[in-house]
């Protein structure tokens, strides 16, 4: 999709979802086209304007790229026949790779629809207090989208007014550090002006913004002119810790008691969910969550023909991460003999019955329409986590570790042990980076996060991450045997390994190629970035 087309199309996005009560979030029927002139007049108008920012504009990102990149590229997933996974796993994506092109367009749709909302609300006559709250909501979305864009492509175009880009789409990109600073300014504004508690189920709060800031500060702390500096900026490590601590000590969120319950439709917008994409049950294409169709092992799970996940499997590399009895494995991956009472309920539940040489995806797989009335073909009805409290606990621990080899920080130990104890594992007395990154990988597996964890590390220990990716041995397909009762994976010595072609593993793997159509439309993307001219001061009274 060409840049001009992206920015022109987003100007034409209608604002069709009027928010209902907390129990029927985004479930109302589309309304007639609404124009700027007759729309931004009341708080209910603002709610309707920001509604699509929770689903429609993220659809192409969520559909395949969310996990294809986050989990495929990090080698959590092995999917040799899924062209939305294997180009990333094999490090062979190009500017023509479909999910990459779609994700770029989706993230810029988030940016530009957020810009439209900000412009429309700013020009309205409603009180500043009300306006600030919904501008903050849009700025949270825009800042989050720019964190993704910076993490994935590095230097990208910063835009605050889509009308200008429609007039002239041939513009300079901006440097990575400026894109991060832009994202931080958006999220700091959101932390200041979003409400303490969500007015409607699934809406953002100021603690959602603090949680996202803990992620962004943590990433930014490692950026310098030397990607092998080995250290991170203490100022931003401290900010990451403060932002996470704000969520943990003052926010309304708490961990769910049972990890597996996080991924059940009945628990959408639960106590741990801080920002989730809100898919419309029985909704039209574009406001639906398609992931179950790509993950489910067969029609006996979904009850229809949309079940293409037989070859979307756990990698040998990720299965080696799970400790014995870690309950997170069964909630994430389906192994032979695993039992799930929430699937095929009418027959007493579902027992996985296949050979012991592979595991398929469980997260995002919720069952058929008989199991869940909110599920339809190609729409699981399950929210997509973009940020939850478990990640903020991990962010706190990593920020507390900082540049040290180990930490016994009481808050970090408490945070990590809360996750481990919920998973049925023993407590830790001290923490290393290896401990924390292990917990991140298994806690957030199949939630589109692990590649970004590796990128964050590569900002200051690039060669270490290159060595790590090399050691994953992606070019060798290893036959395995898996014991679901003990989470034990072993090499099947009765079968031979086989080879697959992968790309070159060097510093270039940490930035994606720009979509080819964008380079054709905007040749300045090939040129050096130009510093962004900021027009507002950073908010500095958040802590």
């Amino acid at each position: 999709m060409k840049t001009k087309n992206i920015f022109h199309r987003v100007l034409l996005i209608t604002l069709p979802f009027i928010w209902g009560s907390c129990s029927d979030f985004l479930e109302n029927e589309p309304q007639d086209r609404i124009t700027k002139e007759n729309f931004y007049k009341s708080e209910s108008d603002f709610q309707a304007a920001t509604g699509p920012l929770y689903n429609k504009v993220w659809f192409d990102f969520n559909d395949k790229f969310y996990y294809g990149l986050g989990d495929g590229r990090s080698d959590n997933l092995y999917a040799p026949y899924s062209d939305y996974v294997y180009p990333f796993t094999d490090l062979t994506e190009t500017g023509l790779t479909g999910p990459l092109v779609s994700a770029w367009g989706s993230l810029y749709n988030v940016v530009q629809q957020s810009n439209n909302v900000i412009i429309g609300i700013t020009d309205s006559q409603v009180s500043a207090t009300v306006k600030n709250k919904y501008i903050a909501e849009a700025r949270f979305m825009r800042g989050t989208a720019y964190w993704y864009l910076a993490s994935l492509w590095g230097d990208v175009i910063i835009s605050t007014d889509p009308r200008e880009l429609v007039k002239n789409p041939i513009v300079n990109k901006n440097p990575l550090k400026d894109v991060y600073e832009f994202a931080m300014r958006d999220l700091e504004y959101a932390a200041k002006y979003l409400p303490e508690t969500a007015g409607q189920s699934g809406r953002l709060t100021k603690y959602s913004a603090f949680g996202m800031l803990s992620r962004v500060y943590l990433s930014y702390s490692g950026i310098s002119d030397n990607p092998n500096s080995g250290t991170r900026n203490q100022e931003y490590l401290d900010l990451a810790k403060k932002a996470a601590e704000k969520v943990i000590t003052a926010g309304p969120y708490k961990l769910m008691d049972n990890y597996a319950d996080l991924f059940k439709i009945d628990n959408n917008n639960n106590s741990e969910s801080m920002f989730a994409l809100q898919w419309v049950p029985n909704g039209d294409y574009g406001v639906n969550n398609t992931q179950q169709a790509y993950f489910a092992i067969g029609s006996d799970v979904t009850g229809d023909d949309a079940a293409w996940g037989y070859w979307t499997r756990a990698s040998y590399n990720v299965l080696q991460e799970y400790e014995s009895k870690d309950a997170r494995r069964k909630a994430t991956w389906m192994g032979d003999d695993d039992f799930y009472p929430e699937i095929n309920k009418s027959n007493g539940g579902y027992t996985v019955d296949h050979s012991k040489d592979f595991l398929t995806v469980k997260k995002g797989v919720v069952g058929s329409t008989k199991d869940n009335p909110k599920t339809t073909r190609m729409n699981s009805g399950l929210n997509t986590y973009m940020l939850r409290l478990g990640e903020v606990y991990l962010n706190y621990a990593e920020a507390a570790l900082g540049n040290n080899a180990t930490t016994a920080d009481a808050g970090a130990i408490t945070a990590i042990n809360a996750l481990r104890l919920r998973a049925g594992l023993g407590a830790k007395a001290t923490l290393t980076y290896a401990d924390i990154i292990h917990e991140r990988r298994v806690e957030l597996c199949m939630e589109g996060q692990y590649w970004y964890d590796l990128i964050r590390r590569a900002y200051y220990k690039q060669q270490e991450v290159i060595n790590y990716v090399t050691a994953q041995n992606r070019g060798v397909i290893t036959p395995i045997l898996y014991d679901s009762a003990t989470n034990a994976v072993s090499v099947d010595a009765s079968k031979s390994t086989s080879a697959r072609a992968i790309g070159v593993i060097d510093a270039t793997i940490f930035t994606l190629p720009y979509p080819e159509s964008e380079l054709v439309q905007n040749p300045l993307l090939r040129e050096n970035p130009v510093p962004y001219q900021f027009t507002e001061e950073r908010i500095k009274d958040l802590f």
Side-chain angles (χ1 to χ4, degrees):
M1 184 186 299
K2 294 183 179 180
T3 307
K4 186 172 183 178
N5 290 342
I6 291 173
F7 298 130
H8 180 66
R9 187 179 74 169
V10 80
L11 284 172
L12 300 179
I13 289 179
T14 59
L15 306 171
F17 297 109
I18 306 300
W19 289 55
S21 68
C22 295
S23 62
D24 56 8
F25 178 58
L26 282 181
E27 293 180 23
N28 291 308
E29 294 297 320
Q31 307 297 308
D32 292 335
R33 178 180 293 268
I34 304 169
T35 64
K36 177 182 173 182
E37 287 71 24
N38 65 13
F39 187 60
Y40 292 104
K41 294 183 177 181
S42 68
E43 184 166 4
S44 62
D45 293 338
F46 299 166
Q47 291 176 343
T50 52
L53 298 179
Y54 287 83
N55 56 24
K56 192 175 184 68
V57 291
W58 292 97
F59 176 79
D60 284 337
F61 173 86
N62 180 77
D63 181 48
K64 298 183 179 75
F65 189 82
Y66 172 86
Y67 57 89
L69 190 288
D71 292 284
R73 194 169 182 80
S74 59
D75 201 30
N76 286 342
L77 271 180
Y78 168 68
Y81 306 114
S82 298
D83 60 5
Y84 42 88
V85 177
Y86 71 71
F88 300 119
T89 306
D90 297 351
L91 307 171
T92 57
E93 76 288 324
T94 71
L96 297 173
T97 299
L100 179 151
V101 176
S102 295
W104 171 277
S106 181
L107 291 168
Y108 269 108
N109 276 337
V110 176
V111 168
Q112 299 299 16
Q113 185 67 1
S114 298
N115 285 336
N116 286 335
V117 170
I118 292 165
I119 292 167
I121 292 176
T122 299
D123 293 342
S124 75
Q125 301 303 308
V126 178
S127 72
T129 300
V130 174
K131 289 199 296 186
N132 287 343
K133 180 169 67 172
Y134 291 96
I135 290 172
E137 201 166 22
R139 290 190 67 168
F140 175 99
M141 298 294 185
R142 186 175 69 181
T144 300
Y146 270 121
W147 175 79
Y148 278 110
L149 286 162
S151 299
L152 295 167
W153 282 279
D155 305 329
V156 297
I157 299 165
I158 297 175
S159 169
T160 59
D161 190 340
R163 296 168 297 189
E164 295 303 316
L165 281 166
V166 169
K167 294 176 185 175
N168 177 25
I170 303 175
V171 294
N172 293 105
K173 62 188 179 184
N174 304 110
L176 171 72
K177 292 188 71 172
D178 286 2
V179 181
Y180 262 101
E181 184 170 345
F182 187 87
M184 286 188 287
R185 288 172 185 241
D186 269 353
L187 291 164
E188 286 162 348
Y189 184 97
K192 186 174 180 68
Y193 291 109
L194 280 168
E196 289 271 345
T197 57
Q200 294 169 307
S201 180
R203 287 272 184 180
L204 298 168
T205 70
K206 66 170 57 266
Y207 300 103
S208 307
F210 279 115
M212 194 61 72
L213 277 169
S214 73
R215 179 195 292 181
V216 177
Y217 289 146
L218 198 58
S219 295
Y220 189 74
S221 69
I223 296 174
S224 72
D225 294 333
N226 179 6
N228 289 298
S229 68
T231 60
R232 291 187 270 187
N233 184 310
Q234 191 61 48
E235 176 187 357
Y236 282 93
L237 287 170
D238 291 342
L239 284 172
K241 184 178 177 181
K242 288 179 181 179
E245 186 175 31
K246 193 92 166 176
V247 174
I248 295 167
T249 61
Y253 306 100
K254 64 179 183 178
L255 292 184
M256 294 279 286
D257 292 333
N258 184 350
Y259 182 81
D261 287 345
L262 285 163
F263 311 101
K264 296 177 181 177
I265 296 174
D266 290 344
N267 296 324
N268 279 349
N269 299 321
N270 57 67
S271 63
E272 191 169 337
S273 179
M274 299 178 65
F275 169 38
L277 303 182
Q278 309 282 325
W279 305 110
V280 181
N282 306 312
D284 294 333
Y285 201 74
V287 292
N288 55 313
N289 189 352
T290 58
Q291 290 182 9
Q292 173 168 255
Y294 303 123
F295 294 162
I297 190 171
S299 58
D300 53 343
V301 172
T302 63
D304 55 40
D305 64 332
W308 309 306
Y310 184 86
W311 278 99
T312 303
R313 302 177 173 183
S315 71
Y316 174 42
N317 185 261
V318 77
L319 291 176
Q320 293 172 293
E321 287 281 350
Y322 289 95
E323 299 168 65
S324 178
K325 305 300 183 181
D326 189 333
R328 293 173 292 194
R329 195 282 303 163
K330 184 182 172 185
T332 308
W333 305 105
M334 283 183 164
D336 194 41
D337 294 329
D338 284 337
F339 175 72
Y340 298 95
E342 71 272 21
I343 297 174
N344 199 15
K345 293 177 184 176
S346 62
N347 291 316
Y350 179 75
T351 299
V352 181
D353 183 14
H354 58 57
S355 59
K356 297 182 183 297
D357 58 357
F358 68 96
L359 289 84
T360 56
V361 182
K362 172 58 176 74
K363 265 187 196 177
V365 175
V366 297
S368 69
T369 56
K370 293 180 180 179
D371 297 322
N372 304 282
K374 294 183 178 181
T375 297
T376 54
R377 186 182 185 280
M378 292 289 288
N379 186 6
S380 69
L382 187 69
N383 286 353
T384 300
Y385 288 113
M386 301 290 276
L387 177 72
R388 60 180 176 86
L389 185 60
E391 182 198 337
V392 177
Y393 279 17
L394 291 158
N395 293 347
Y396 179 94
E398 188 174 336
L401 176 69
N403 293 311
N404 304 308
T406 64
T407 184
D409 178 276
I413 298 296
T414 299
I416 293 297
N417 285 340
L419 301 178
R420 288 182 59 80
L421 292 172
R422 178 170 69 174
L425 302 174
K428 296 275 188 178
T430 60
L431 296 170
T432 65
Y433 175 77
D435 293 325
I436 295 169
I437 198 65
H438 162 77
E439 293 299 328
R440 292 193 76 96
R441 190 175 191 184
V442 295
E443 176 71 23
L444 302 172
C445 191
M446 290 308 298
E447 294 179 54
Q449 282 293 316
Y450 191 47
W451 181 249
Y452 303 98
D453 295 338
L454 298 181
I455 288 175
R456 181 171 66 254
R457 185 73 164 176
Y459 285 148
Y460 65 103
K461 290 196 174 184
Q462 186 181 91
Q463 190 58 51
E464 176 192 289
V465 181
I466 291 172
N467 295 343
Y468 171 82
V469 174
T470 301
Q472 288 180 317
N473 209 15
R474 301 182 186 205
V476 176
I477 302 170
T478 303
I480 66 166
L481 290 172
Y482 196 82
D483 184 341
S484 297
T486 62
N487 293 345
V489 61
S490 60
V491 176
D492 185 351
S494 70
K495 298 178 182 178
S496 300
T497 60
S498 56
R500 75 179 190 217
I502 63 169
V504 176
I505 300 175
D506 59 18
T508 62
I509 68 173
F510 300 115
T511 52
L512 297 180
Y514 297 110
E516 188 64 32
S517 56
E518 299 295 312
L519 293 172
V520 171
Q521 177 67 26
N522 182 10
L524 290 181
L525 282 172
R526 300 181 189 272
E527 304 299 323
N528 291 330
V530 173
Y532 182 75
Q533 299 300 312
F534 291 96
T535 59
E536 66 176 4
E537 296 296 320
R538 292 273 296 274
I539 293 172
K540 297 182 178 180
D541 61 350
L542 295 176
F543 306 106

